[in-house]
Structure formats: structure tokens, C-alpha cells
């Protein structure tokens, strides 16, 4: 059932191109418009939405953090993202015009479920993004957009994460479509870019041997830091989470712009620091800033592991290890940039003799608070 792989996690990492294209399937019509028929919240209600609140836990929360960038950029609706466990204990401000998006692979995470119950009690509409048909979270929501990742068995989430991102982008574009903030052509452009992502993920997977080699060479380390900006910041958080749960290493993700506000004090000789670099095209300010961050940490002795677009020559002189990913529009980059981090964590766990599919102390679905 592991399909020839040693671990479910490896199989699920490899299934990502298909998971991504399956999640897009049937949701785009011939003209490039979105047809999210499952979203049964009437367009009239969606047009009135004045705030989006995303609630989730763990990896699904990281998908939500990325979704915020897309939702605000494409729809101009303010979007908050909150850990489900924090959300409902702080008396959040919600009403009929709030759209709450609950993201959950299992559909059974207790904190997320309690958050959405609280939201509905306040009159908010809840849209679930979920991978498990008929589970509790979609049953209790007003609408559901299923991710079609297929069953995810390994405790560490991989393919579900990528499909959560795809679903979030679809929701963002759909909101834009319904509200007219994104017009046909623009939606079609993004949809076309999204349709190309499955192949791009496939290409990333073909180039992972150096990443595995690097991971093995770092098996004796105690700490790995991750830096990113913009959508690369949640990717850094996700890279660190994967490493904690699988390799049982101290791993932390930071917003690169925060370096000088504290974390740079952690940099010491030969400390591995993974940096997620945004595209040099498009928002080039972001790119330039992160290149100077890489220079700063390298000058202090960090061993820089740089994830950058193909053809990004500017980063090469400062990268001790360079991991190339295909060019994508900035907002979609997490779909390709996360993959090497999954492979990295999985290989490090293996090298450290850890149980990859069943990390210690963790459960696949957390049905207690
Ligand atoms: C990390 C991981 C967890 C889950 C979290 C939420 O690899 O798997 O952080 O993402 O427990 O689970 P779901 O998505 O089922 O609500």
C-alpha cells in the first residue's frame, strides 16, 4: 500500500503533482472561469462579505497564512488568520458579513471545529476547506470545498498542504469573480498559472537528490533556522514545523525582515539557515531585500541554504547550497518552494533514525482540545 516507497510520507510527497491537478479538476470551465458549485453560499451573501477570517491549526494554519496574501491582493477584502485554539477564547468580532474559512485535512480537529461552531453562533458563514469527505467540520459548515489529495496517512502533512493552498487560491479567485474585483482575463491568467503548477511540482521532485544529500550531512546538527518574506514567510514556518515534528530538531521560522530585531543574534559559525527567496521578477524589492539578508547572515558565519527560482543569478554568490525551483508568480511560489523542505525534513528524520510516518507524541488527527 506504500506503492514501493519506504514510507507513506515519501509516497504522499510524490503524489503531489496529481493531488494539485485533482484539486483543480472540474472547478474551471472552458472559458477559464471558476465553477465552485460546492460553495453553496449564495453569491449575494459573498458579495456582502466585509471580512474573511481563516481558522486552522498546524500546517493548515500555514496554508491560511499564505491565503491571506492572495485573498487581500485579489479581492481587497481584509483577511485575518488565526490559530483555531486562540480564536475562540478571545471573543472575536464576527457577524453576518464575516466569512470564516476553516481549513482542516482531517475535518476532525477539535480546536478548528470549536472555532467554527463559535463563528456560526455569531452569525458568520463558514466555508470549510477539507480533505475528508463527510467529516465533522464540513458537515457543520455552510459550505465545503474539498481538497482532492486522497487519503493522507503519514502524520506529517504534505500533499494535503499543497491542495489546501490550491483550494485557498480558488476561494480567493472565486470571491474576486463573484464580487467583480477580479475580472475574467485576470482570473484566467492566474488559473492558467495554477494549472501549470502540477508540472512544476513534478519538476521539483525530479531534482531532490542534492537536497537529500544535504539533509544527511546535517543530521548531527541541533538547530536549523528558516527565513522568508511575504508568502515565503509561512513557507519558512512550515519548513521549520516539518523539521521539528520529523527530525525532532530545534527549528524556527522567521520573517526575514525581523532578523535585525532579534533573531540575527542566533547566527553563529556553520549554523544552517534555509532562506526562501521570492521571484526576482515581479516584486523585485522583496527579492533585493532578502538577498541582503542572506549576505548579512553569511557574513556572520551562517551556512546558507537558498531556495530560489531557476535563473535567479543574484543569489548564487551567497548560497552555500542552492536549491532551484521553477519560476512561478510570486503568490503561487509556496506550491513549489515547500516541496524541498518536505523532502529535507523527511530525509533528516530518516538519517536520525526516526520513525517518519509516526513521529513520537503526535497523532494524525487531534480530536481533543
Ligand atoms: C503537521 C500536521 C499538523 C496538522 C494539524 C491540523 O504536519 O500534520 O500540524 O496540520 O494538526 O490538522 P487538520 O488539518 O487535520 O485539521
Amino acid at each position: 500500500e506504500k506503492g514501493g516507497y519506504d514510507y507513506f510520507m515519501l509516497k504522499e510527497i510524490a503524489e503531489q503533482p496529481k493531488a494539485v491537478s485533482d484539486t483543480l479538476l472540474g472547478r474551471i470551465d472552458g472559458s477559464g472561469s471558476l465553477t465552485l458549485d460546492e460553495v453553496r453560499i449564495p453569491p449575494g451573501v459573498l458579495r456582502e462579505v466585509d471580512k474573511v477570517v481563516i481558522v486552522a491549526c498546524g500546517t493548515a494554519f500555514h496554508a491560511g497564512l499564505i491565503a491571506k496574501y492572495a485573498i487581500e491582493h485579489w479581492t481587497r477584502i481584509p483577511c485575518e488568520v488565526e490559530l483555531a485554539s486562540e480564536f475562540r477564547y478571545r471573543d472575536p468580532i464576527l457577524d453576518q458579513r464575516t466569512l470564516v474559512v476553516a481549513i482542516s485535512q482531517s475535518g476532525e480537529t477539535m480546536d478548528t471545529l470549536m472555532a467554527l461552531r463559535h463563528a456560526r453562533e455569531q452569525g458568520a458563514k463558514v466555508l470549510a476547506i477539507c480533505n475528508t469527505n463527510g467529516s465533522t467540520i464540513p458537515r457543520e459548515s455552510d459550505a465545503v470545498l474539498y481538497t482532492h489529495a486522497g487519503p493522507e496517512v503519514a502524520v506529517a502533512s504534505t500533499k494535503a498542504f499543497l491542495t489546501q493552498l490550491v483550494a485557498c487560491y480558488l476561494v480567493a479567485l472565486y470571491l474576486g469573480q463573484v464580487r467583480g474585483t477580479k475580472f475574467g482575463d485576470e482570473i484566467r491568467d492566474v488559473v492558467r498559472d495554477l494549472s501549470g503548477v502540477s508540472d512544476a511540482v513534478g519538476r521539483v521532485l525530479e531534482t531532490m537528490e542534492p537536497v537529500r544529500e544535504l539533509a544527511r550531512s546535517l543530521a548531527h546538527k541541533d538547530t536549523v533556522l528558516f527565513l522568508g518574506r511575504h508568502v515565503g514567510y509561512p513557507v519558512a514556518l512550515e519548513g521549520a514545523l516539518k523539521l521539528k515534528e520529523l527530525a525532532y530538531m530545534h527549528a524556527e521560522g522567521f520573517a526575514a525582515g525581523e532578523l535585525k530585531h532579534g533573531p540575527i543574534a542566533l547566527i553563529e559559525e556553520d549554523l544552517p539557515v534555509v532562506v526562501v527567496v521570492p521571484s526576482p521578477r515581479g516584486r523585485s524589492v522583496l527579492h533585493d531585500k532578502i538577498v541582503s539578508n542572506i549576505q548579512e547572515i553569511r557574513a556572520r558565519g551562517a551556512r546558507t541554504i537558498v531556495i530560489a527560482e531557476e535563473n535567479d543569478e543574484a543569489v548564487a554568490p551567497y548560497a552555500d547550497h542552492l536549491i532551484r525551483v521553477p519560476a512561478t508568480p510570486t503568490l503561487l511560489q509556496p506550491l513549489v518552494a515547500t516541496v524541498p523542505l518536505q523532502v529535507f525534513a523527511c530525509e533528516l528524520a530518516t538519517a536520525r533514525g526516526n520513525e517518519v510516518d509516526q513521529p513520537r507524541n503526535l497523532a494524525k488527527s487531534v480530536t481533543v482540545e
Side-chain angles (χ1 to χ4, degrees):
E1 43 182 322
K2 290 181 195 148
Y5 292 92
D6 288 344
Y7 306 108
F8 279 106
M9 185 178 177
L10 288 171
K11 172 171 175 270
E12 289 162 5
I13 288 173
E15 285 169 348
Q16 290 184 114
K18 182 172 183 326
V20 165
S21 51
D22 285 353
T23 299
L24 289 168
L25 203 71
R27 287 168 170 167
I28 300 156
D29 70 15
S31 72
S33 303
L34 298 176
T35 50
L36 302 188
D37 294 335
E38 317 104 295
V39 178
R40 283 168 287 108
I41 301 174
V45 173
L46 291 179
R47 272 192 284 274
E48 293 301 309
V49 166
D50 64 2
K51 181 167 74 169
V52 177
V53 178
I54 303 177
V55 291
C57 304
T59 287
F61 171 70
H62 296 154
L65 290 176
I66 293 165
K68 175 186 167 83
Y69 292 83
I71 289 172
E72 292 195 340
H73 184 67
W74 289 335
T75 72
R76 310 310 295 156
I77 309 172
C79 175
E80 296 168 16
V81 192
E82 195 157 351
L83 291 166
S85 55
E86 288 295 319
F87 171 79
R88 65 200 190 84
Y89 290 109
R90 74 171 175 87
D91 195 12
I93 301 164
L94 303 160
D95 61 29
Q96 293 82 342
R97 299 181 68 176
T98 312
L99 176 67
V100 171
V101 179
I103 309 176
S104 175
Q105 188 286 127
S106 63
E108 301 295 347
T109 300
M110 186 56 76
D111 282 313
T112 309
L113 177 61
M114 298 307 265
L116 82 83
R117 281 185 185 160
H118 181 77
R120 291 195 78 197
E121 278 162 19
Q122 314 297 306
K125 288 274 179 274
V126 176
L127 168 65
I129 291 178
C130 185
N131 195 47
T132 311
N133 265 55
S135 56
T136 312
I137 287 172
R139 272 195 282 118
E140 294 206 14
S141 298
D142 294 286
V144 54
L145 188 64
Y146 280 109
T147 49
H148 295 156
E152 193 180 62
V153 177
V155 165
S157 187
T158 53
K159 61 177 181 170
F161 176 70
L162 256 60
T163 61
Q164 283 161 356
L165 289 178
V166 170
C168 288
Y169 294 127
L170 289 175
V171 167
L173 291 168
Y174 185 65
L175 277 173
Q177 177 174 294
V178 167
R179 298 163 64 92
T181 46
K182 268 272 153 197
F183 296 102
D185 282 353
E186 291 168 80
I187 293 179
R188 271 191 288 279
D189 285 350
V190 185
V191 162
R192 196 202 46 232
D193 292 334
L194 264 177
S195 312
V197 160
S198 167
D199 283 350
V201 172
R203 275 184 282 138
V204 175
L205 289 171
E206 284 163 15
T207 59
M208 286 297 94
E209 194 42 46
V211 174
R212 283 188 282 267
E213 230 167 80
L214 171 65
R216 290 192 291 269
S217 77
L218 298 175
H220 62 287
K221 292 282 184 188
D222 299 319
T223 297
V224 180
L225 301 184
F226 294 76
L227 296 179
R229 287 192 100 98
H230 194 262
V231 290
Y233 168 42
V235 171
L237 296 177
E238 174 62 7
L241 178 61
K242 288 279 102 80
L243 205 59
K244 281 175 210 163
E245 60 183 335
L246 291 157
Y248 318 149
M249 288 166 87
H250 171 225
E252 271 192 84
F254 298 108
E258 277 292 293
L259 259 183
K260 55 187 167 303
H261 301 291
I264 200 161
L266 291 170
I267 306 295
E268 56 188 21
E269 200 54 39
D270 213 34
L271 177 77
V273 184
V274 178
V275 188
V276 183
V277 178
S279 167
R281 303 160 298 114
R283 269 161 258 218
S284 56
V285 222
L286 285 176
H287 179 267
D288 297 348
K289 284 194 189 305
I290 212 151
V291 173
S292 46
N293 292 144
I294 301 173
Q295 288 172 275
E296 283 157 10
I297 57 171
R298 197 156 186 262
R300 289 162 180 81
R303 165 131 53 128
T304 56
I305 302 164
V306 176
I307 300 182
E309 245 182 37
E310 292 158 354
N311 308 321
D312 180 347
E313 295 312 326
V315 293
Y318 314 109
D320 296 307
H321 307 272
L322 191 50
I323 301 168
R324 294 292 192 183
V325 291
T328 48
T330 304
L331 281 168
L332 304 188
Q333 198 203 31
L335 288 164
V336 291
T338 305
V339 176
L341 302 182
Q342 300 167 340
V343 172
F344 182 69
C346 184
E347 188 70 23
L348 253 162
T350 310
R352 287 163 74 96
N354 299 351
E355 178 53 65
V356 170
D357 286 336
Q358 281 289 343
R360 67 186 182 198
N361 308 339
L362 292 175
K364 182 66 183 161
S365 100
V366 184
T367 53
V368 292
E369 286 185 67

